[in-house]
């Protein structure tokens, strides 16, 4: 379809067609919008903003225009987000100003959807421009709207300010403007504000602006005013305002814990009133406030161990301990507000669950002090005819099992255990049985194990416990799932006991069979039952002893047969395929545990090896599918098999390597996660370094591991500092080895170049990750060694094009990261000569490239056309990379 000049005039029609129920009409409209955007981005964006601002246009077309406009500025993936930001910044100033003018004007529209959409788009642009000191008049322009008489303009402005605070960092906005924003927001929240929408927008805006109020919360008068207004808003007749106000209180409890001591009495009163009297969404947030306080105090107590000094920097105010006599009764009341079907709904969250969670956090915060406050409630209600009271009492007991000392709890548990086992079998209500099984699991988790001086599980009561649990695994799915969970923790408690004979051993065969029976139940897909059964089965295998090894060995062909059966299934629906993938993952996980257990000792490993070929064949068939979750489980199981088989695993490498290579390519995508990957990096780096140090690792795996170092450094930036002492020596030593390698044949040469490229990519990622960081000086000691490595590559006749491209890129990264004046460049004249040599080797490409570009100016020629004509040894993208590197080098003045 050719675009005509009047396309912008037809945008309304296209936007409406893009929402048509007719698929063909919708598809045609979407293609038209895409083509408009690709051929004339400025015109496209201006047309969208014009649609959004025009009150005569249909609401639906205006909303979609705003949504598309927002999506041209933002994305979930960080690399795409950066691309869109750069694209916006590259637009002509006139175009951007026209769009921004339309957006600001839309805030005055009488149409709520248009105003709200415009607020979000303005915030997205602010997120791009304000950090770069662009659009400096935005905040003052918005604040001028606050005094306008029209309430809807004030509401839209406050909403916009809230979104902006959500998008930008506090340091981007100067303190004077922060003060003005907070003044406008808090005034909008005031009870004297007659318009509900304005007050709601202001309350929601404060939630996003709290991070900007650090200075204001240090001022007693300003803090008092903010807290008074927030507490008043919790009493608003409008539910949405009350909810937003409590959300603000929750955020304040976390951000400004150390500033709220003088307000705690008032806060308790408003939260208690909300919990007891308000609608559930508000009550949930009121309980969440106390859960948040618990989280803060648990963190402080864990970090400082209760040993506080005047200058500790993070004192604990013991708010929970002080509130305990009033707080615990309030939370116990919530336990009586159960919903009939809450046990069947996996996503259920209600006031009873919130109260139980908070009670558990309180127990972790105050320890033994909670027990005497909860026990009377339990004793009073545990035998009541009303199932709600019995279930609430059991729920309360289970909640306080983590936190108090074993000495405090053991006498109570010793008495309660028989009662609870009986209740699990005989109580007529499934809710009570569900909670009872959960509580038994908590008893086994926190009060059973080799570390406990007193033992609640003995040879005498073990049979009774197992009989009850195995019988309960035949109950309805939610009860059976909790029984499996209890069995899991029961078995876990025996894992490190070190007995040659465990109390579970006489019942081992029955336990295994009962769990397998659960996995075959027709309703095993409900309430996570199948998953819980396999988790329990895995834990039972882990705690198996020498005398139960034959039973575990009998389990191997059973699990293999079931995994093979899933691979034989044909023509499954998408729902059936999903269930099959889940089952395959569970079976792979089970085999992994068996392999680890049997491979841990020579006698059992020898017997187990008879199954190794068949198991590996099953895993390779799993990898031939395309389900990522199943692949993860299969890879973990293969890792266990490789560890167990040792050097014998090499016979599987020919079939396994293509999948291993694919995994490393996937691993390299972690850079897109950026700092979100940080919590997992210790585990990832430990495993990668361990693999590199292993003599049994196939050599082909090492280059992609080096590349992964670079990807991780790119993702987490200066946080890679703690890994430098491990990775850099390994990279330097390997670089020295590949610089000295004697090329015997093509295969060795290919592998050597793969190693070189992996090392270069690691260096490049590390230097890029530290760019603009104050910690770049940490890299200085390594720069001369890296230059020496690059020098050796320059002299190398057998360096391939990929290595040359990466080496040129690393030159630019070195220059860009270390900056002007770093001694590693100028202290040794040979380094400068080296760089000149590298430049001379490729400089002809630049001139030829430039000549060709001049001759083809104005023509649209595919890149491959002129690359073929040039007949260069290095491809065009290497030339571009070289030009970028050369620019960095000259920009920093290294060759002046």
């Amino acid at each position: 379809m050719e675009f005509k000049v009047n396309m912008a005039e037809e945008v309304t029609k296209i936007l409406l067609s893009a929402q048509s129920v007719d698929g063909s009409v919708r598809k045609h409209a979407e293609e038209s919008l895409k083509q408009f955007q690709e051929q004339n981005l400025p015109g496209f964006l201006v047309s969208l903003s014009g649609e959004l601002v025009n009150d005569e246009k249909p609401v639906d077309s205006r909303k979609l225009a705003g949504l598309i406009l927002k999506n041209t500025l933002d994305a979930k993936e960080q690399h795409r987000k950066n691309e869109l930001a750069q694209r916006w910044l590259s637009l002509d100033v006139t175009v951007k100003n026209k769009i921004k003018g339309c957006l600001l004007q839309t805030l005055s529209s009488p149409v709520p959807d248009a105003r709200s959409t415009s607020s979000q788009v303005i915030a997205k642009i602010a997120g791009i421009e304000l950090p770069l000191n662009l659009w400096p008049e935005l905040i003052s322009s918005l604040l001028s709207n606050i005094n306008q008489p029209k309430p809807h303009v004030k509401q839209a402005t406050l909403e916009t300010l809230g979104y902006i605070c959500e998008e930008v960092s506090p340091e981007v906005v100067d303190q004077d403007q922060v003060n003005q924003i907070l003044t406008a927001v808090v005034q909008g929240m005031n009870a004297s504000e007659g318009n509900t929408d304005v007050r709601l927008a202001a309350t929601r805006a404060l939630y996003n602006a709290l991070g900007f109020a650090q200075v204001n919360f240090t001022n007693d008068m300003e803090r008092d005013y903010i807290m008074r207004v927030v507490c008043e808003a919790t009493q608003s007749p409008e539910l949405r305002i009350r909810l937003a106000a409590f959300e603000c209180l929750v955020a304040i409890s976390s951000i400004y814990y150390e500033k709220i001591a003088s307000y705690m009495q008032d806060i308790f009163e408003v939260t208690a009133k909300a919990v007891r009297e308000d609608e559930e969404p508000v009550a949930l947030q009121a309980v969440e406030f106390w859960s948040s306080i618990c989280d803060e105090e648990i963190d402080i107590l864990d970090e400082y161990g209760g040993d506080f000094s005047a200058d500790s920097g993070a004192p604990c105010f013991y708010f929970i301990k002080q509130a305990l006599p009033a707080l615990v009764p309030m939370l116990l009341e919530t336990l009586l507000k159960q919903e009939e079907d809450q046990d069947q709904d996996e996503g259920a969250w209600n006031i009873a669950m919130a109260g139980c969670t908070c009670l558990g956090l309180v127990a972790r915060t105050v320890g033994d002090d909670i027990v005497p406050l909860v026990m009377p409630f339990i004793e009073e209600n545990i035998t009541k005819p009303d199932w709600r009271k019995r279930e609430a009492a059991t729920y309360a007991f289970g909640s306080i099992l983590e936190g108090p000392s074993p000495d405090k709890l053991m006498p109570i548990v010793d008495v309660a255990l028989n009662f609870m086992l009986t209740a699990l079998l005989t109580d007529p209500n499934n809710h009570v049985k569900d909670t009872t099984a959960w509580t038994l699991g908590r008893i086994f988790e926190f009060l059973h194990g080799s570390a406990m001086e007193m033992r609640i599980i003995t040879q005498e009561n073990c049979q009774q416990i197992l009989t009850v649990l195995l019988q309960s695994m035949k109950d309805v799915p939610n009860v059976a799932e909790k029984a499996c969970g209890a069995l899991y923790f029961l078995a876990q408690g025996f894992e490190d006991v070190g007995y040659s004979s465990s109390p579970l051993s006489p019942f081992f065969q029955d336990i295994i069979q009962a769990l397998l029976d659960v996995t075959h139940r027709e309703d095993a897909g409900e309430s996570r039952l199948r998953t819980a059964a396999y988790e329990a089965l895995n834990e039972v295998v882990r705690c198996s002893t020498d005398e139960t090894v034959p039973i575990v060995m009998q389990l191997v062909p059973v699990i293999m047969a079931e995994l093979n059966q899933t691979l034989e299934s044909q023509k499954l629906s998408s729902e059936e395929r999903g269930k099959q993938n889940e089952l395959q993952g569970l079976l792979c996980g089970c085999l992994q545990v068996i392999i680890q257990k049997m491979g841990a000792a020579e006698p059992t490993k020898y017997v187990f090896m008879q199954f190794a070929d068949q198991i590996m064949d099953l895993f390779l068939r799993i990898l031939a599918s395309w389900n990522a979750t199943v692949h993860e489980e299969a890879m973990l199981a293969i890792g266990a098999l490789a560890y167990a088989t040792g050097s014998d695993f090499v016979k599987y490498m020919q079939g396994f390597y293509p999948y291993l290579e694919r995994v490393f390519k996937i691993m390299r995508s972690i850079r897109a996660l950026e700092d979100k990957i940080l919590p997992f990096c210790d585990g990832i780096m430990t495993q990668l370094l361990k693999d590199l140090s292993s003599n049994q690792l196939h050599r082909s795996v090492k280059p992609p591991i080096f590349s992964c170092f670079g990807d991780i450094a790119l993702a987490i930036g200066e946080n890679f500092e703690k890994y430098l002492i491990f990775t850099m020596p390994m990279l330097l030593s390997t670089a020295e080895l590949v610089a000295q390698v004697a090329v015997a044949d093509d295969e060795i040469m290919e592998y050597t170049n793969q190693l070189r490229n992996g090392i270069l990519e690691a260096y490049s990622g590390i230097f890029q990750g530290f760019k603009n960081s104050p910690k770049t000086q940490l890299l200085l000691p390594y720069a001369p060694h890296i230059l020496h490595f690059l020098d050796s590559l320059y002299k190398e006749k057998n360096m391939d094009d990929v290595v040359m491209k990466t080496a040129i890129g690393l030159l630019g990264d070195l220059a860009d990261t270390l900056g002007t004046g770093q001694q590693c460049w100028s202290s040794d004249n040979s380094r400068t000569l080296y760089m000149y040599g590298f430049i001379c080797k490729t400089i002809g490409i630049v001139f030829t490239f430039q000549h060709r570009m001049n001759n083809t100016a104005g023509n649209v020629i595919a890149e491959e056309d002129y690359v073929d004509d040039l007949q260069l040894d290095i491809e065009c993208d290497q030339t571009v990379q070289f030009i970028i590197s050369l620019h960095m080098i000259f920009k920093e003045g290294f060759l002046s």
Side-chain angles (χ1 to χ4, degrees), residues 582-596:
E582 180 185 6
L583 179 56
Q584 287 176 347
L586 293 169
L587 291 167
C588 286
C590 188
L591 282 174
Q592 178 196 346
V593 172
I594 294 172
I595 292 167
Q596 290 170 332

Side-chain angles (χ1 to χ4, degrees), residues 243-496:
L243 179 60
F246 274 110
E247 288 172 347
C248 288
L249 278 180
V250 173
I252 289 168
S253 70
S254 176
I255 303 171
Y256 301 110
Y257 168 84
E258 72 282 359
K259 301 290 186 185
I260 60 174
S262 60
Y263 315 108
M264 289 303 291
Q265 182 59 46
D266 292 336
I267 292 174
F268 180 82
E269 290 175 5
V270 298
T271 53
K273 182 173 183 289
V275 169
R276 292 186 169 112
E277 302 174 13
D278 214 327
E279 296 186 47
E280 186 167 81
V282 179
L284 286 171
Q285 285 302 311
V287 173
E288 183 63 24
F289 171 85
W290 292 101
S291 293
S292 179
I293 293 291
C294 287
D295 287 334
E296 292 299 313
E297 297 195 346
I298 289 169
D299 288 346
I300 294 170
L301 293 169
D302 285 347
E303 183 174 357
Y304 291 88
D307 183 20
F308 304 115
S309 59
D311 58 351
S312 64
C316 182
F317 288 91
Y318 296 102
F319 294 137
I320 298 299
K321 195 169 187 176
Q322 294 174 43
L324 210 55
L327 179 61
V328 170
M330 178 188 80
L331 294 174
L332 291 173
E333 288 178 31
T334 67
L335 304 187
L336 294 164
K337 300 178 180 179
Q338 309 96 322
E339 294 175 0
E340 289 284 352
D341 59 348
Q342 66 183 32
D343 295 328
Q344 279 72 42
D345 183 0
E346 290 183 27
W349 185 248
N350 55 45
I351 191 65
M353 292 176 168
C356 175
T357 300
C358 187
L359 191 64
L361 290 169
V362 171
R364 289 176 57 196
T365 307
V366 303
D368 290 355
D369 291 349
I370 197 172
V371 177
L373 295 173
V374 174
M375 285 309 299
F377 177 85
I378 297 172
E379 292 165 354
E380 180 185 349
N381 292 287
I382 197 70
T383 57
K384 287 288 177 70
D386 184 350
W387 74 264
R388 292 181 183 278
K389 292 184 177 181
R390 297 198 308 278
E391 199 264 350
T394 310
Y395 216 173
F397 187 45
S399 299
I400 64 168
L401 291 170
E402 182 185 11
S405 65
D407 289 344
K408 189 75 173 179
L409 292 173
M410 279 294 194
I412 302 170
V413 170
D414 197 42
V415 173
L417 187 58
N418 281 335
F419 180 89
M420 303 202 73
L421 291 170
T422 302
L424 182 55
L425 279 183
T426 62
D427 197 285
N429 185 273
N430 283 337
H431 295 292
V432 177
K433 288 197 286 187
D434 180 289
T435 304
T436 301
W438 171 78
T439 301
L440 284 168
R442 300 266 294 177
I443 291 172
F444 301 148
E445 180 180 5
F446 298 114
L447 298 171
H448 161 55
S450 57
M452 296 292 154
E453 293 182 7
M454 294 177 60
R455 297 191 182 278
I456 58 169
I457 312 296
T458 63
Q459 293 285 357
E460 290 71 31
N461 65 13
C462 188
Q463 182 173 4
Q464 179 194 5
I465 292 169
L466 285 170
T467 300
V468 172
L469 292 181
L470 298 190
Q471 182 63 35
S472 296
M473 290 191 310
K474 300 175 183 177
D475 212 317
V476 294
N478 59 292
V479 175
E481 185 265 335
K482 300 297 192 307
C484 288
L487 179 58
Y488 172 95
F489 288 115
L490 177 67
Q492 190 178 68
F494 292 118
E495 190 174 344
D496 298 322

Side-chain angles (χ1 to χ4, degrees), residues 144-154 193 195 198:
S144 67
N145 286 345
I146 295 295
N147 298 319
Q148 289 200 18
K150 296 180 179 178
H152 70 269
V153 178
K154 191 173 181 180
E193 172 56 58
N195 186 282
V198 170

